[in-house]
Amino acid sequence: MCKSPLHPFLVALPKCEHHMHLEGSLAPNLLFSLAHRNGITLPHSKHDPAFASPDTLLERYARFTSLDDFLHYYFIGMSALVHAEDFEALAWEYFVRAHTEGVVHAEVFFDPQAHTSRGIEYRTVVDGFVKACRRAESEFGMSTKLILCFLRHLPVSEAAVAFTDAKDDLISGRLAGVGLDSSEKGFPPGAWKVIYDQAKASKIKRTAHAGEEGPVEYIREALEKLDIERIDHGIRLAEDDQLMRDVAQRKIMVTLCPLSNVRLQCVKAVAELPIRKFLDNGVPFSINSDDPAYFGGYILGNYCAVQDAFSLTLDEWKNIAIAAILGSWCEEDRKNDMLSKVHDMVEAHR
């Protein structure tokens, strides 16, 4: 909870989330429960004291030293996901929490390669996630989209297989688009150009993580070689004024993840993020939770952290909310409905 008088408004504001990894919402309690149910052996506490209990694992999450340190635990957690019901339970737990924090539209990532590489069928993963999406739509009136991400620390050839497996779902709209995540340093995005060219030819939406730990040049490369329509993280964009102006002019949305950037030591504090610079230069962005079970905050926690750091005005939040809606990959009717809700909420709090 933030200390600002605007906190009740931030709670009530209809929110769009565009950068949230479903596997990154695997809370320790659910992880231990699924591992027990599925007969999965987690690391022994003798080798890693973090696995003594859900509480000790949660405490360890507060001490990540880098993106790769986090990814070590991220991929261990995935091992507990085996059946379609597990993936459904994981996604549903996120949607319930997101609904309580005002999310009305959620575009969420998932990493099929992390599951198929350990023998889980692609269809098992997607069927479970889709079932949770449909339930969120039915019970909460929340619109949802699934975005398949390629793991950049794995060979491009394996990403090509994942793309082939998912292409029918991507073309039909069962999946909304493709992204690129995992370790950034040393994995420039241009290596995935052939796959992104194929996606573009099939009119499939495209995004990519760029400029989180990697340099601003990775953002330029992702824009030029992958022709991405959205930039995930993108905090290094502020280091290149011309590129930033180009992004603003083209209205390419950046999906910021404030608490994640602090937890992974990309910045020392939320106040160091280029939020003010983006606002002043017309860069559209949304605020997101990334991997909330690991980084200490879901979407409302990120909104509050931004408010505490920047003391934004009601109209600045209105502009952020509008940019998030306009940058969403949903139908125009849905966008108009959400824009109307934001307008009404803003006027109610003036």
Side-chain angles (χ1 to χ4, degrees):
M1 179 175 175
C2 52
K3 303 170 185 176
S4 168
L6 284 184
H7 181 71
F9 167 74
L10 295 178
V11 172
L13 182 64
K15 304 171 185 70
C16 296
E17 182 141 51
H18 307 101
H19 190 145
M20 204 295 300
H21 301 264
L22 285 170
E23 293 91 346
S25 65
L26 182 55
N29 282 330
L30 182 59
L31 167 59
F32 274 70
S33 174
L34 291 176
H36 176 74
R37 186 172 77 188
N38 293 328
I40 302 298
T41 302
L42 297 174
H44 196 283
S45 59
K46 179 174 63 176
H47 304 295
D48 186 344
F51 286 94
S53 70
D55 287 341
T56 56
L57 188 58
L58 188 62
E59 290 170 4
R60 175 62 178 83
Y61 291 170
R63 302 193 306 275
F64 291 132
T65 58
S66 66
L67 176 60
D68 285 337
D69 183 30
F70 150 67
L71 289 172
H72 168 73
Y73 288 92
Y74 180 70
F75 289 117
I76 289 174
M78 288 189 200
S79 67
L81 299 165
V82 177
H83 306 290
E85 294 80 7
D86 303 335
F87 293 96
E88 179 187 359
L90 171 63
W92 179 245
E93 190 170 272
Y94 160 74
F95 287 132
V96 170
R97 178 65 178 267
H99 173 65
T100 66
E101 299 196 357
V103 173
V104 295
H105 178 72
E107 300 182 5
V108 291
F109 297 131
F110 71 105
D111 296 326
Q113 290 169 269
H115 309 297
T116 56
S117 64
R118 54 190 180 86
I120 308 300
E121 294 288 334
Y122 162 80
R123 189 59 55 195
T124 298
V125 180
V126 174
D127 286 351
F129 284 153
V130 166
K131 192 170 182 181
C133 287
R134 298 296 171 262
R135 187 177 173 190
E137 293 164 4
S138 174
E139 295 192 23
F140 300 144
M142 182 188 298
S143 46
T144 67
K145 300 288 182 182
L146 286 169
I147 300 171
L148 179 155
C149 281
F150 305 117
L151 295 174
R152 65 203 306 160
H153 70 279
L154 296 180
V156 175
S157 59
E158 294 185 17
V161 172
F163 180 67
T164 299
D165 288 344
K167 194 168 183 181
D168 287 346
D169 286 339
L170 287 160
I171 292 174
S172 71
R174 195 171 192 233
L175 303 182
V178 297
L180 184 66
D181 64 8
S182 188
S183 303
E184 186 180 9
K185 286 183 177 178
F187 298 98
W192 283 264
K193 175 175 168 50
V194 171
I195 298 174
Y196 273 71
D197 284 347
Q198 293 173 2
K200 182 181 179 180
S202 297
K203 299 181 179 179
I204 294 167
K205 296 285 190 182
R206 303 165 308 283
T207 187
H209 287 44
E212 177 190 13
E213 286 192 331
V216 66
E217 286 76 18
Y218 280 14
I219 300 176
R220 184 182 299 278
E221 185 172 319
L223 289 166
E224 293 179 351
K225 293 187 177 182
L226 305 186
D227 196 17
I228 57 173
E229 301 164 272
R230 184 184 290 172
I231 303 165
D232 297 321
H233 284 301
I235 60 175
R236 306 301 170 203
L237 179 64
E239 299 172 6
D240 186 324
D241 287 345
Q242 183 57 56
L243 185 60
M244 183 173 61
R245 285 192 291 269
D246 291 345
V247 166
Q249 184 176 20
R250 294 171 59 188
K251 294 181 170 56
I252 297 173
M253 187 173 70
V254 179
T255 65
L256 296 176
C257 303
L259 293 179
S260 165
N261 293 151
V262 174
R263 184 65 65 93
L264 296 184
Q265 302 187 25
C266 299
V267 294
K268 293 181 180 179
V270 171
E272 295 180 12
L273 293 171
I275 285 174
R276 174 56 59 192
K277 191 169 186 178
F278 284 176
L279 285 170
D280 291 345
N281 286 274
V283 176
F285 63 87
S286 62
I287 295 169
N288 309 272
S289 62
D290 199 5
D291 299 279
Y294 293 85
F295 298 150
Y298 284 75
I299 194 166
L300 181 58
N302 280 271
Y303 274 53
C304 287
V306 168
Q307 182 61 16
D308 283 342
F310 294 96
S311 300
L312 301 182
T313 66
L314 188 72
D315 284 326
E316 285 172 329
W317 278 111
K318 176 185 176 181
N319 292 336
I320 291 169
I322 289 173
I325 293 169
L326 296 179
S328 295
W329 290 350
C330 58
E331 298 72 17
E332 289 302 314
D333 285 350
R334 178 58 176 158
K335 289 183 181 181
N336 289 334
D337 177 59
M338 292 190 289
L339 287 169
S340 177
K341 287 182 169 61
V342 166
H343 174 78
D344 291 346
M345 189 62 63
V346 170
E347 293 307 309
H349 284 81
R350 285 200 184 279

